[in-house]
PDB file of all heavy atoms in Angstrom:
ATOM      1  N   GLU A 185      -0.415  -0.683   5.895  1.00  0.00           N
ATOM      2  CA  GLU A 185      -1.070  -0.682   7.205  1.00  0.00           C
ATOM      3  C   GLU A 185      -0.966  -2.048   7.871  1.00  0.00           C
ATOM      4  O   GLU A 185      -0.753  -2.149   9.089  1.00  0.00           O
ATOM      5  CB  GLU A 185      -2.536  -0.275   7.070  1.00  0.00           C
ATOM      6  CG  GLU A 185      -3.260  -0.070   8.381  1.00  0.00           C
ATOM      7  CD  GLU A 185      -2.724   1.089   9.212  1.00  0.00           C
ATOM      8  OE1 GLU A 185      -2.102   2.004   8.619  1.00  0.00           O
ATOM      9  OE2 GLU A 185      -2.921   1.085  10.443  1.00  0.00           O
ATOM     10  N   ILE A 186      -1.103  -3.122   7.102  1.00  0.00           N
ATOM     11  CA  ILE A 186      -0.934  -4.463   7.658  1.00  0.00           C
ATOM     12  C   ILE A 186       0.494  -4.633   8.177  1.00  0.00           C
ATOM     13  O   ILE A 186       0.717  -5.124   9.293  1.00  0.00           O
ATOM     14  CB  ILE A 186      -1.252  -5.537   6.594  1.00  0.00           C
ATOM     15  CG1 ILE A 186      -2.732  -5.505   6.205  1.00  0.00           C
ATOM     16  CG2 ILE A 186      -0.891  -6.932   7.115  1.00  0.00           C
ATOM     17  CD1 ILE A 186      -3.070  -6.336   4.971  1.00  0.00           C
ATOM     18  N   ALA A 187       1.471  -4.226   7.378  1.00  0.00           N
ATOM     19  CA  ALA A 187       2.879  -4.368   7.778  1.00  0.00           C
ATOM     20  C   ALA A 187       3.178  -3.603   9.061  1.00  0.00           C
ATOM     21  O   ALA A 187       3.977  -4.043   9.894  1.00  0.00           O
ATOM     22  CB  ALA A 187       3.783  -3.896   6.650  1.00  0.00           C
ATOM     23  N   LYS A 188       2.535  -2.446   9.223  1.00  0.00           N
ATOM     24  CA  LYS A 188       2.762  -1.600  10.403  1.00  0.00           C
ATOM     25  C   LYS A 188       2.077  -2.149  11.645  1.00  0.00           C
ATOM     26  O   LYS A 188       2.504  -1.860  12.772  1.00  0.00           O
ATOM     27  CB  LYS A 188       2.251  -0.191  10.090  1.00  0.00           C
ATOM     28  CG  LYS A 188       2.520   0.847  11.164  1.00  0.00           C
ATOM     29  CD  LYS A 188       2.093   2.228  10.701  1.00  0.00           C
ATOM     30  CE  LYS A 188       0.583   2.385  10.693  1.00  0.00           C
ATOM     31  NZ  LYS A 188       0.160   3.779  10.407  1.00  0.00           N
ATOM     32  N   SER A 189       1.039  -2.953  11.464  1.00  0.00           N
ATOM     33  CA  SER A 189       0.153  -3.316  12.573  1.00  0.00           C
ATOM     34  C   SER A 189       0.525  -4.593  13.297  1.00  0.00           C
ATOM     35  O   SER A 189      -0.031  -4.883  14.358  1.00  0.00           O
ATOM     36  CB  SER A 189      -1.290  -3.436  12.050  1.00  0.00           C
ATOM     37  OG  SER A 189      -1.726  -2.205  11.501  1.00  0.00           O
ATOM     38  N   PHE A 190       1.448  -5.399  12.742  1.00  0.00           N
ATOM     39  CA  PHE A 190       1.780  -6.687  13.349  1.00  0.00           C
ATOM     40  C   PHE A 190       3.296  -6.842  13.428  1.00  0.00           C
ATOM     41  O   PHE A 190       4.018  -6.391  12.539  1.00  0.00           O
ATOM     42  CB  PHE A 190       1.180  -7.836  12.527  1.00  0.00           C
ATOM     43  CG  PHE A 190      -0.319  -7.811  12.477  1.00  0.00           C
ATOM     44  CD1 PHE A 190      -0.972  -7.143  11.451  1.00  0.00           C
ATOM     45  CD2 PHE A 190      -1.074  -8.424  13.457  1.00  0.00           C
ATOM     46  CE1 PHE A 190      -2.354  -7.099  11.396  1.00  0.00           C
ATOM     47  CE2 PHE A 190      -2.452  -8.389  13.419  1.00  0.00           C
ATOM     48  CZ  PHE A 190      -3.097  -7.725  12.390  1.00  0.00           C
ATOM     49  N   PRO A 191       3.794  -7.519  14.476  1.00  0.00           N
ATOM     50  CA  PRO A 191       5.249  -7.683  14.616  1.00  0.00           C
ATOM     51  C   PRO A 191       5.851  -8.572  13.531  1.00  0.00           C
ATOM     52  O   PRO A 191       7.010  -8.427  13.179  1.00  0.00           O
ATOM     53  CB  PRO A 191       5.404  -8.317  15.999  1.00  0.00           C
ATOM     54  CG  PRO A 191       4.076  -8.929  16.294  1.00  0.00           C
ATOM     55  CD  PRO A 191       3.061  -8.066  15.626  1.00  0.00           C
ATOM     56  N   PHE A 192       5.059  -9.520  13.034  1.00  0.00           N
ATOM     57  CA  PHE A 192       5.478 -10.332  11.899  1.00  0.00           C
ATOM     58  C   PHE A 192       4.225 -10.728  11.147  1.00  0.00           C
ATOM     59  O   PHE A 192       3.258 -11.208  11.739  1.00  0.00           O
ATOM     60  CB  PHE A 192       6.230 -11.597  12.339  1.00  0.00           C
ATOM     61  CG  PHE A 192       6.508 -12.523  11.174  1.00  0.00           C
ATOM     62  CD1 PHE A 192       7.627 -12.330  10.384  1.00  0.00           C
ATOM     63  CD2 PHE A 192       5.635 -13.549  10.855  1.00  0.00           C
ATOM     64  CE1 PHE A 192       7.874 -13.159   9.288  1.00  0.00           C
ATOM     65  CE2 PHE A 192       5.874 -14.379   9.766  1.00  0.00           C
ATOM     66  CZ  PHE A 192       7.002 -14.180   8.989  1.00  0.00           C
ATOM     67  N   VAL A 193       4.234 -10.553   9.825  1.00  0.00           N
ATOM     68  CA  VAL A 193       3.075 -10.929   9.026  1.00  0.00           C
ATOM     69  C   VAL A 193       3.529 -11.198   7.605  1.00  0.00           C
ATOM     70  O   VAL A 193       4.421 -10.521   7.082  1.00  0.00           O
ATOM     71  CB  VAL A 193       1.988  -9.820   9.063  1.00  0.00           C
ATOM     72  CG1 VAL A 193       2.498  -8.526   8.462  1.00  0.00           C
ATOM     73  CG2 VAL A 193       0.701 -10.266   8.375  1.00  0.00           C
ATOM     74  N   GLU A 194       2.952 -12.215   6.992  1.00  0.00           N
ATOM     75  CA  GLU A 194       3.201 -12.490   5.582  1.00  0.00           C
ATOM     76  C   GLU A 194       2.270 -11.617   4.742  1.00  0.00           C
ATOM     77  O   GLU A 194       1.045 -11.649   4.928  1.00  0.00           O
ATOM     78  CB  GLU A 194       2.957 -13.978   5.284  1.00  0.00           C
ATOM     79  CG  GLU A 194       3.945 -14.878   5.996  1.00  0.00           C
ATOM     80  CD  GLU A 194       3.642 -16.358   5.828  1.00  0.00           C
ATOM     81  OE1 GLU A 194       2.496 -16.698   5.470  1.00  0.00           O
ATOM     82  OE2 GLU A 194       4.555 -17.162   6.064  1.00  0.00           O
ATOM     83  N   LEU A 195       2.851 -10.852   3.858  1.00  0.00           N
ATOM     84  CA  LEU A 195       2.083  -9.894   3.056  1.00  0.00           C
ATOM     85  C   LEU A 195       1.745 -10.543   1.721  1.00  0.00           C
ATOM     86  O   LEU A 195       2.565 -10.615   0.808  1.00  0.00           O
ATOM     87  CB  LEU A 195       2.899  -8.614   2.863  1.00  0.00           C
ATOM     88  CG  LEU A 195       3.241  -7.911   4.176  1.00  0.00           C
ATOM     89  CD1 LEU A 195       4.292  -6.841   3.962  1.00  0.00           C
ATOM     90  CD2 LEU A 195       1.993  -7.317   4.812  1.00  0.00           C
ATOM     91  N   MET A 196       0.502 -11.017   1.625  1.00  0.00           N
ATOM     92  CA  MET A 196       0.105 -11.743   0.429  1.00  0.00           C
ATOM     93  C   MET A 196      -1.399 -11.603   0.198  1.00  0.00           C
ATOM     94  O   MET A 196      -2.187 -11.491   1.137  1.00  0.00           O
ATOM     95  CB  MET A 196       0.463 -13.230   0.538  1.00  0.00           C
ATOM     96  CG  MET A 196      -0.148 -13.919   1.752  1.00  0.00           C
ATOM     97  SD  MET A 196       0.440 -15.614   2.004  1.00  0.00           S
ATOM     98  CE  MET A 196      -0.133 -16.436   0.542  1.00  0.00           C
ATOM     99  N   ASP A 197      -1.776 -11.570  -1.080  1.00  0.00           N
ATOM    100  CA  ASP A 197      -3.179 -11.664  -1.511  1.00  0.00           C
ATOM    101  C   ASP A 197      -4.079 -10.579  -0.941  1.00  0.00           C
ATOM    102  O   ASP A 197      -5.279 -10.809  -0.726  1.00  0.00           O
ATOM    103  CB  ASP A 197      -3.739 -13.050  -1.173  1.00  0.00           C
ATOM    104  CG  ASP A 197      -3.147 -14.126  -2.076  1.00  0.00           C
ATOM    105  OD1 ASP A 197      -2.384 -13.772  -2.983  1.00  0.00           O
ATOM    106  OD2 ASP A 197      -3.450 -15.311  -1.865  1.00  0.00           O
ATOM    107  N   THR A 198      -3.542  -9.409  -0.687  1.00  0.00           N
ATOM    108  CA  THR A 198      -4.357  -8.226  -0.392  1.00  0.00           C
ATOM    109  C   THR A 198      -4.518  -7.460  -1.700  1.00  0.00           C
ATOM    110  O   THR A 198      -3.543  -7.212  -2.397  1.00  0.00           O
ATOM    111  CB  THR A 198      -3.673  -7.353   0.665  1.00  0.00           C
ATOM    112  OG1 THR A 198      -3.746  -8.011   1.936  1.00  0.00           O
ATOM    113  CG2 THR A 198      -4.340  -5.981   0.775  1.00  0.00           C
ATOM    114  N   TRP A 199      -5.742  -7.106  -2.027  1.00  0.00           N
ATOM    115  CA  TRP A 199      -5.931  -6.425  -3.303  1.00  0.00           C
ATOM    116  C   TRP A 199      -7.184  -5.553  -3.296  1.00  0.00           C
ATOM    117  O   TRP A 199      -7.992  -5.589  -2.364  1.00  0.00           O
ATOM    118  CB  TRP A 199      -5.979  -7.433  -4.463  1.00  0.00           C
ATOM    119  CG  TRP A 199      -7.298  -8.050  -4.753  1.00  0.00           C
ATOM    120  CD1 TRP A 199      -8.182  -7.688  -5.718  1.00  0.00           C
ATOM    121  CD2 TRP A 199      -7.916  -9.154  -4.076  1.00  0.00           C
ATOM    122  NE1 TRP A 199      -9.292  -8.500  -5.704  1.00  0.00           N
ATOM    123  CE2 TRP A 199      -9.156  -9.415  -4.697  1.00  0.00           C
ATOM    124  CE3 TRP A 199      -7.533  -9.969  -2.985  1.00  0.00           C
ATOM    125  CZ2 TRP A 199     -10.026 -10.426  -4.277  1.00  0.00           C
ATOM    126  CZ3 TRP A 199      -8.401 -10.975  -2.570  1.00  0.00           C
ATOM    127  CH2 TRP A 199      -9.615 -11.199  -3.214  1.00  0.00           C
ATOM    128  N   THR A 200      -7.317  -4.759  -4.365  1.00  0.00           N
ATOM    129  CA  THR A 200      -8.452  -3.860  -4.546  1.00  0.00           C
ATOM    130  C   THR A 200      -9.087  -4.116  -5.904  1.00  0.00           C
ATOM    131  O   THR A 200      -8.388  -4.171  -6.916  1.00  0.00           O
ATOM    132  CB  THR A 200      -7.999  -2.387  -4.488  1.00  0.00           C
ATOM    133  OG1 THR A 200      -7.388  -2.144  -3.220  1.00  0.00           O
ATOM    134  CG2 THR A 200      -9.178  -1.437  -4.680  1.00  0.00           C
ATOM    135  N   TRP A 201     -10.399  -4.284  -5.914  1.00  0.00           N
ATOM    136  CA  TRP A 201     -11.157  -4.201  -7.156  1.00  0.00           C
ATOM    137  C   TRP A 201     -11.735  -2.794  -7.229  1.00  0.00           C
ATOM    138  O   TRP A 201     -12.418  -2.342  -6.303  1.00  0.00           O
ATOM    139  CB  TRP A 201     -12.308  -5.199  -7.164  1.00  0.00           C
ATOM    140  CG  TRP A 201     -11.959  -6.577  -7.623  1.00  0.00           C
ATOM    141  CD1 TRP A 201     -11.132  -6.932  -8.634  1.00  0.00           C
ATOM    142  CD2 TRP A 201     -12.469  -7.802  -7.069  1.00  0.00           C
ATOM    143  NE1 TRP A 201     -11.084  -8.294  -8.763  1.00  0.00           N
ATOM    144  CE2 TRP A 201     -11.896  -8.861  -7.824  1.00  0.00           C
ATOM    145  CE3 TRP A 201     -13.349  -8.122  -6.030  1.00  0.00           C
ATOM    146  CZ2 TRP A 201     -12.175 -10.205  -7.560  1.00  0.00           C
ATOM    147  CZ3 TRP A 201     -13.637  -9.447  -5.779  1.00  0.00           C
ATOM    148  CH2 TRP A 201     -13.046 -10.477  -6.528  1.00  0.00           C
ATOM    149  N   PHE A 202     -11.458  -2.114  -8.293  1.00  0.00           N
ATOM    150  CA  PHE A 202     -12.057  -0.797  -8.513  1.00  0.00           C
ATOM    151  C   PHE A 202     -12.559  -0.751  -9.952  1.00  0.00           C
ATOM    152  O   PHE A 202     -11.775  -0.923 -10.892  1.00  0.00           O
ATOM    153  CB  PHE A 202     -11.047   0.331  -8.262  1.00  0.00           C
ATOM    154  CG  PHE A 202     -11.587   1.684  -8.595  1.00  0.00           C
ATOM    155  CD1 PHE A 202     -12.468   2.328  -7.734  1.00  0.00           C
ATOM    156  CD2 PHE A 202     -11.243   2.320  -9.785  1.00  0.00           C
ATOM    157  CE1 PHE A 202     -12.994   3.568  -8.052  1.00  0.00           C
ATOM    158  CE2 PHE A 202     -11.755   3.562 -10.103  1.00  0.00           C
ATOM    159  CZ  PHE A 202     -12.635   4.189  -9.234  1.00  0.00           C
ATOM    160  N   GLN A 203     -13.866  -0.554 -10.095  1.00  0.00           N
ATOM    161  CA  GLN A 203     -14.472  -0.549 -11.425  1.00  0.00           C
ATOM    162  C   GLN A 203     -15.154   0.792 -11.676  1.00  0.00           C
ATOM    163  O   GLN A 203     -15.614   1.459 -10.732  1.00  0.00           O
ATOM    164  CB  GLN A 203     -15.502  -1.677 -11.557  1.00  0.00           C
ATOM    165  CG  GLN A 203     -14.954  -3.072 -11.324  1.00  0.00           C
ATOM    166  CD  GLN A 203     -15.451  -3.701 -10.034  1.00  0.00           C
ATOM    167  OE1 GLN A 203     -16.125  -3.079  -9.234  1.00  0.00           O
ATOM    168  NE2 GLN A 203     -15.087  -4.965  -9.817  1.00  0.00           N
ATOM    169  N   SER A 204     -15.234   1.142 -12.957  1.00  0.00           N
ATOM    170  CA  SER A 204     -15.903   2.389 -13.346  1.00  0.00           C
ATOM    171  C   SER A 204     -16.813   2.131 -14.541  1.00  0.00           C
ATOM    172  O   SER A 204     -16.561   1.227 -15.352  1.00  0.00           O
ATOM    173  CB  SER A 204     -14.863   3.457 -13.721  1.00  0.00           C
ATOM    174  OG  SER A 204     -14.110   3.056 -14.855  1.00  0.00           O
ATOM    175  N   GLY A 205     -17.886   2.923 -14.630  1.00  0.00           N
ATOM    176  CA  GLY A 205     -18.784   2.831 -15.767  1.00  0.00           C
ATOM    177  C   GLY A 205     -19.363   1.443 -15.938  1.00  0.00           C
ATOM    178  O   GLY A 205     -19.785   0.800 -14.975  1.00  0.00           O
ATOM    179  N   ILE A 206     -19.351   0.952 -17.169  1.00  0.00           N
ATOM    180  CA  ILE A 206     -19.932  -0.362 -17.455  1.00  0.00           C
ATOM    181  C   ILE A 206     -19.226  -1.483 -16.702  1.00  0.00           C
ATOM    182  O   ILE A 206     -19.819  -2.538 -16.430  1.00  0.00           O
ATOM    183  CB  ILE A 206     -19.925  -0.636 -18.975  1.00  0.00           C
ATOM    184  CG1 ILE A 206     -20.822  -1.842 -19.305  1.00  0.00           C
ATOM    185  CG2 ILE A 206     -18.496  -0.813 -19.487  1.00  0.00           C
ATOM    186  CD1 ILE A 206     -21.029  -2.052 -20.789  1.00  0.00           C
ATOM    187  N   ASN A 207     -17.974  -1.271 -16.327  1.00  0.00           N
ATOM    188  CA  ASN A 207     -17.236  -2.310 -15.604  1.00  0.00           C
ATOM    189  C   ASN A 207     -17.810  -2.597 -14.229  1.00  0.00           C
ATOM    190  O   ASN A 207     -17.465  -3.613 -13.609  1.00  0.00           O
ATOM    191  CB  ASN A 207     -15.764  -1.909 -15.462  1.00  0.00           C
ATOM    192  CG  ASN A 207     -15.034  -1.891 -16.783  1.00  0.00           C
ATOM    193  OD1 ASN A 207     -15.495  -2.473 -17.760  1.00  0.00           O
ATOM    194  ND2 ASN A 207     -13.894  -1.212 -16.829  1.00  0.00           N
ATOM    195  N   THR A 208     -18.694  -1.719 -13.723  1.00  0.00           N
ATOM    196  CA  THR A 208     -19.296  -1.958 -12.405  1.00  0.00           C
ATOM    197  C   THR A 208     -20.395  -3.013 -12.452  1.00  0.00           C
ATOM    198  O   THR A 208     -20.947  -3.363 -11.400  1.00  0.00           O
ATOM    199  CB  THR A 208     -19.893  -0.661 -11.827  1.00  0.00           C
ATOM    200  OG1 THR A 208     -20.977  -0.218 -12.665  1.00  0.00           O
ATOM    201  CG2 THR A 208     -18.848   0.434 -11.714  1.00  0.00           C
ATOM    202  N   ASP A 209     -20.737  -3.532 -13.647  1.00  0.00           N
ATOM    203  CA  ASP A 209     -21.875  -4.446 -13.692  1.00  0.00           C
ATOM    204  C   ASP A 209     -21.611  -5.763 -12.975  1.00  0.00           C
ATOM    205  O   ASP A 209     -22.540  -6.438 -12.553  1.00  0.00           O
ATOM    206  CB  ASP A 209     -22.352  -4.686 -15.135  1.00  0.00           C
ATOM    207  CG  ASP A 209     -21.331  -5.404 -16.011  1.00  0.00           C
ATOM    208  OD1 ASP A 209     -20.160  -5.549 -15.591  1.00  0.00           O
ATOM    209  OD2 ASP A 209     -21.713  -5.798 -17.131  1.00  0.00           O
ATOM    210  N   GLY A 210     -20.341  -6.132 -12.811  1.00  0.00           N
ATOM    211  CA  GLY A 210     -20.003  -7.341 -12.071  1.00  0.00           C
ATOM    212  C   GLY A 210     -19.141  -7.018 -10.869  1.00  0.00           C
ATOM    213  O   GLY A 210     -18.129  -6.314 -10.985  1.00  0.00           O
ATOM    214  N   ALA A 211     -19.522  -7.538  -9.712  1.00  0.00           N
ATOM    215  CA  ALA A 211     -18.805  -7.209  -8.476  1.00  0.00           C
ATOM    216  C   ALA A 211     -17.358  -7.667  -8.508  1.00  0.00           C
ATOM    217  O   ALA A 211     -16.489  -7.076  -7.861  1.00  0.00           O
ATOM    218  CB  ALA A 211     -19.517  -7.830  -7.278  1.00  0.00           C
ATOM    219  N   HIS A 212     -17.078  -8.741  -9.250  1.00  0.00           N
ATOM    220  CA  HIS A 212     -15.730  -9.309  -9.271  1.00  0.00           C
ATOM    221  C   HIS A 212     -15.039  -9.073 -10.603  1.00  0.00           C
ATOM    222  O   HIS A 212     -14.095  -9.793 -10.948  1.00  0.00           O
ATOM    223  CB  HIS A 212     -15.790 -10.811  -8.963  1.00  0.00           C
ATOM    224  CG  HIS A 212     -16.396 -11.125  -7.636  1.00  0.00           C
ATOM    225  ND1 HIS A 212     -16.885 -12.373  -7.294  1.00  0.00           N
ATOM    226  CD2 HIS A 212     -16.604 -10.342  -6.544  1.00  0.00           C
ATOM    227  CE1 HIS A 212     -17.358 -12.344  -6.064  1.00  0.00           C
ATOM    228  NE2 HIS A 212     -17.208 -11.133  -5.585  1.00  0.00           N
ATOM    229  N   ASN A 213     -15.487  -8.077 -11.348  1.00  0.00           N
ATOM    230  CA  ASN A 213     -14.810  -7.756 -12.602  1.00  0.00           C
ATOM    231  C   ASN A 213     -13.395  -7.259 -12.325  1.00  0.00           C
ATOM    232  O   ASN A 213     -13.174  -6.476 -11.398  1.00  0.00           O
ATOM    233  CB  ASN A 213     -15.580  -6.687 -13.377  1.00  0.00           C
ATOM    234  CG  ASN A 213     -16.887  -7.212 -13.941  1.00  0.00           C
ATOM    235  OD1 ASN A 213     -17.129  -8.415 -13.949  1.00  0.00           O
ATOM    236  ND2 ASN A 213     -17.737  -6.315 -14.417  1.00  0.00           N
ATOM    237  N   PRO A 214     -12.420  -7.689 -13.110  1.00  0.00           N
ATOM    238  CA  PRO A 214     -11.038  -7.282 -12.843  1.00  0.00           C
ATOM    239  C   PRO A 214     -10.801  -5.800 -13.110  1.00  0.00           C
ATOM    240  O   PRO A 214     -11.528  -5.160 -13.875  1.00  0.00           O
ATOM    241  CB  PRO A 214     -10.220  -8.147 -13.816  1.00  0.00           C
ATOM    242  CG  PRO A 214     -11.180  -8.501 -14.902  1.00  0.00           C
ATOM    243  CD  PRO A 214     -12.532  -8.597 -14.253  1.00  0.00           C
ATOM    244  N   VAL A 215      -9.780  -5.283 -12.469  1.00  0.00           N
ATOM    245  CA  VAL A 215      -9.356  -3.905 -12.704  1.00  0.00           C
ATOM    246  C   VAL A 215      -8.836  -3.788 -14.140  1.00  0.00           C
ATOM    247  O   VAL A 215      -8.137  -4.680 -14.634  1.00  0.00           O
ATOM    248  CB  VAL A 215      -8.256  -3.511 -11.709  1.00  0.00           C
ATOM    249  CG1 VAL A 215      -7.693  -2.126 -12.031  1.00  0.00           C
ATOM    250  CG2 VAL A 215      -8.794  -3.546 -10.282  1.00  0.00           C
ATOM    251  N   THR A 216      -9.156  -2.678 -14.790  1.00  0.00           N
ATOM    252  CA  THR A 216      -8.670  -2.424 -16.147  1.00  0.00           C
ATOM    253  C   THR A 216      -7.953  -1.075 -16.183  1.00  0.00           C
ATOM    254  O   THR A 216      -7.842  -0.385 -15.163  1.00  0.00           O
ATOM    255  CB  THR A 216      -9.834  -2.396 -17.168  1.00  0.00           C
ATOM    256  OG1 THR A 216     -10.564  -1.168 -17.032  1.00  0.00           O
ATOM    257  CG2 THR A 216     -10.773  -3.571 -16.969  1.00  0.00           C
ATOM    258  N   ASN A 217      -7.543  -0.687 -17.390  1.00  0.00           N
ATOM    259  CA  ASN A 217      -6.943   0.637 -17.563  1.00  0.00           C
ATOM    260  C   ASN A 217      -7.952   1.655 -18.090  1.00  0.00           C
ATOM    261  O   ASN A 217      -7.567   2.711 -18.593  1.00  0.00           O
ATOM    262  CB  ASN A 217      -5.720   0.567 -18.482  1.00  0.00           C
ATOM    263  CG  ASN A 217      -6.070   0.013 -19.857  1.00  0.00           C
ATOM    264  OD1 ASN A 217      -7.181  -0.445 -20.092  1.00  0.00           O
ATOM    265  ND2 ASN A 217      -5.105   0.047 -20.773  1.00  0.00           N
ATOM    266  N   ARG A 218      -9.244   1.336 -17.965  1.00  0.00           N
ATOM    267  CA  ARG A 218     -10.268   2.311 -18.364  1.00  0.00           C
ATOM    268  C   ARG A 218     -10.087   3.599 -17.563  1.00  0.00           C
ATOM    269  O   ARG A 218      -9.856   3.561 -16.342  1.00  0.00           O
ATOM    270  CB  ARG A 218     -11.670   1.744 -18.136  1.00  0.00           C
ATOM    271  CG  ARG A 218     -12.792   2.686 -18.571  1.00  0.00           C
ATOM    272  CD  ARG A 218     -14.175   2.142 -18.179  1.00  0.00           C
ATOM    273  NE  ARG A 218     -15.245   3.002 -18.669  1.00  0.00           N
ATOM    274  CZ  ARG A 218     -15.689   4.090 -18.051  1.00  0.00           C
ATOM    275  NH1 ARG A 218     -15.124   4.476 -16.900  1.00  0.00           N
ATOM    276  NH2 ARG A 218     -16.675   4.805 -18.563  1.00  0.00           N
TER     277      ARG A 218
END
C-alpha cells in the first residue's frame, strides 16, 4: 500500500507485531512461530 500510494518512496522498517496467548503479555514482544 505504501508503494502504491507515493510516486517515490523508500520501503524500509515497516513491520507487524502479532502475538498470541502468553506472548501478548508484552506489547513489544517479538513475533514467534507459536
Side-chain angles (χ1 to χ4, degrees):
E185 187 65 23
I186 294 168
K188 185 175 74 173
S189 300
F190 297 92
F192 173 85
V193 63
E194 295 174 341
L195 299 167
M196 57 187 297
D197 288 356
T198 288
W199 85 99
T200 301
W201 275 320
F202 175 77
Q203 301 110 354
S204 63
I206 193 172
N207 292 342
T208 64
D209 65 349
H212 301 162
N213 290 348
V215 174
T216 75
N217 59 353
R218 182 186 184 276

